Amino acid sequence: MKKWLMVFMALALSACSSSEESKTWYQLPSSQLLTQSVASQGSRLLWVEQVAVPDYLAGNGVVYQTTDVQYVIANSNLWASPLDQQLRTTLVANLSNQLPGWVVASQPLGSDQDTLNVTVTGFHGRYDGHVIVSGEWLLNHQGQIIKRPFHVELAQQKDGYDEMVKMLAQAWGQEASAIAAEIKRLP
């Protein structure tokens, strides 16, 4: 009888450990990735040089804030590709959609380009059901430097990492819209 109990315990423990090891990979959804045609004369150029994230966001794990001072980096809910790359790719796509007459790229475009650098300091879910996207961006427009902080906070409609990632993408899209609106006001 003890032998069967030991076999049952071993099977139960192995079943638990295998389910704990399953991983879920997340990619930020892009609303509309578009292929931009080659610039015609008179097009304005914007190089999204960098989207930087701090070390706690640079790993594979999706980040969740559990209290006002504690953060957890998930072991089983992971980014499918580096977060800074995902943020840069979706920012380029969103700005391309929202800035007609501009060529927006993640590579240098020439000597007449404007340059955008973004530092993301928060990109996580929070214990109260909200997601936080915060940081600052710096735009070099014809030698003029424009610097703006940002903080977007949205409430999740449902629980879970899927919903959290979708809401983070929505908040990032809202910030892209704010950046585009600022760029449209440039001379």
Side-chain angles (χ1 to χ4, degrees), residues 23 45 47 57 64 67 72 85 89 91-92 97 113 124 127 142 156 178 183:
K23 296 184 184 320
L45 307 175
W47 174 27
L57 292 174
Y64 183 77
T67 71
V72 172
Q85 290 176 12
T89 300
L91 180 60
V92 167
N97 286 333
Q113 68 194 7
H124 58 274
Y127 58 91
Q142 301 172 351
Q156 283 185 226
I183 290 173

Side-chain angles (χ1 to χ4, degrees), residues 18-154:
S18 66
S19 67
E20 289 175 357
E21 289 176 17
S22 76
K23 296 184 184 320
T24 304
W25 300 88
Y26 292 95
Q27 187 77 24
L28 292 176
S30 57
S31 55
Q32 300 168 333
L33 286 177
L34 75 106
T35 41
Q36 206 168 39
S37 60
V38 175
S40 61
Q41 281 188 323
S43 289
R44 298 175 81 174
L45 307 175
L46 177 63
W47 174 27
V48 179
E49 183 176 16
Q50 175 178 307
V51 176
V53 297
D55 287 346
Y56 85 101
L57 292 174
N60 286 343
V62 176
V63 175
Y64 183 77
Q65 183 179 359
T66 56
T67 71
D68 58 339
V69 295
Q70 288 184 344
Y71 294 79
V72 172
I73 300 172
N75 292 320
S76 297
N77 294 286
L78 308 170
W79 293 115
S81 61
L83 181 59
D84 59 342
Q85 290 176 12
Q86 290 189 53
L87 292 171
R88 188 175 182 202
T89 300
T90 55
L91 180 60
V92 167
N94 286 330
L95 291 176
S96 294
N97 286 333
Q98 296 178 40
L99 294 171
W102 285 78
V103 175
V104 182
S106 58
Q107 301 173 11
L109 297 165
S111 59
D112 237 6
Q113 68 194 7
D114 289 353
T115 305
L116 177 66
N117 283 283
V118 183
T119 301
V120 175
T121 56
F123 197 83
H124 58 274
R126 195 170 64 190
Y127 58 91
D128 62 357
H130 288 82
V131 297
I132 306 297
V133 174
S134 60
E136 66 182 20
W137 55 267
L138 185 73
L139 177 69
N140 184 340
H141 171 67
Q142 301 172 351
Q144 174 190 6
I145 304 296
I146 301 165
K147 181 179 176 181
R148 299 283 187 270
F150 61 89
H151 181 89
V152 181
E153 185 173 324
L154 298 177

